[in-house]
Each structure stands twice: as C-alpha cells, then as structure tokens.
Amino acid sequence: MSLKHVTTALAAAGAALILYVGLSYLFAPQATAPDFGVPTWPRQEGTAFLAVKGVRDVATGLVILALLLTGHRRALGWAMAAIAFVPVGDMVIVLNSGGPAGTAYGVHGATALAVAVTAALLLLRERLARPACLPADAAPPAGAAPSPVPSA
C-alpha cells in the first residue's frame, strides 16, 4: 500500500470520526457529553454550549473532506497540522477541569497524536512526490517541451 493510500485512509477516517462526534453532540448532547472527560456539563439552557462543540467538530470534518476530495493534499497536511491543536486544547481543558487523566491522554492526546502524524505523513508524502530540481545545465527529461528562454 502506497503512502498516498495510507494518508488518504487516515484523513478520511479522521474526517468520518470527527463528523460522527460532531453530529452526536448536535443530536444527543447529554448522552455524548460525559465521554468528553470533564466532570460536569451544562444543563437545560446551557446545553447550547454542547451544540457549539458539535458545530466545531462538524466544520473540522468538512474542511478535511473538502481538501481531500479536491486533491489539495499539501493544504490538507497543513490544515491537519493546525487542527491537531483542537484535541490538544481539549486535553488541557479536561486536565484543568479535574477530569480523568486517562480520558485526557487516551482520547484527546491520542487524537492529537493521530492528527499530527497524519499531517506529517501528508506533508512528507508531498515533499517526496515533488521532482528534484535539475541542475541548470542538465538536459530536459525526454518528451519535455524545449524552454522558450535560451540559457545564458
């Protein structure tokens, strides 16, 4: 399996997972919230804050899918590198709120690591896929159009 297939699978799985989480917060916030890891959650009218998390997660998944489906793999790598900040922030929130360290590290920390590794693999693959620069005096590849600018 090529690195391109691996990174595509990782990005698609990440998008699907975060879309699922986001939709869960939108449609079943009270059932989903305890898995986040903080000890207390808003009740009654305060549950709008859970919808905010749901919208954030759905938007994150849609950004990943949009970049993946349009083939902008380098931009996808950079976007996922930036997105890795979200689960790191979630991990810090759980730890600072007295939530279980196992959830903080096992859910949010592991997610941040998975997103960061996927970003690194996407960026590495794009770097490896770029053709090496040819020296100025090297002959162009076979079948390449001649340069319109004469060499000096």
Side-chain angles (χ1 to χ4, degrees):
M1 181 179 268
S2 72
L3 185 55
K4 182 176 181 177
H5 290 113
V6 170
T7 57
T8 298
L10 288 171
L17 183 61
I18 199 61
L19 281 168
Y20 170 77
V21 170
L23 291 171
S24 296
Y25 273 96
L26 289 174
F27 294 114
Q30 293 300 331
T32 306
D35 294 334
F36 186 83
V38 293
T40 59
W41 282 99
R43 302 280 182 230
Q44 289 78 29
E45 294 184 22
T47 59
F49 285 104
L50 300 178
V52 170
K53 182 189 176 349
V55 169
R56 175 195 78 175
D57 290 347
V58 168
T60 299
L62 292 175
V63 166
I64 294 169
L65 283 178
L67 291 170
L68 187 61
L69 293 173
T70 58
H72 292 94
R73 300 182 70 78
R74 183 169 170 77
L76 175 60
W78 285 112
M80 290 193 74
I83 288 168
F85 175 76
V86 174
V88 168
D90 292 346
M91 179 181 68
V92 170
I93 290 167
V94 170
L95 291 170
N96 286 339
S97 300
T103 301
Y105 296 118
V107 173
H108 305 294
T111 299
L113 180 61
V115 173
V117 166
T118 301
L121 289 173
L122 280 160
L123 294 170
L124 174 67
R125 191 234 169 244
E126 288 303 304
R127 184 174 185 176
L128 294 175
R130 275 192 240 139
C133 293
L134 296 173
D137 61 347
S147 173
V149 179
S151 58

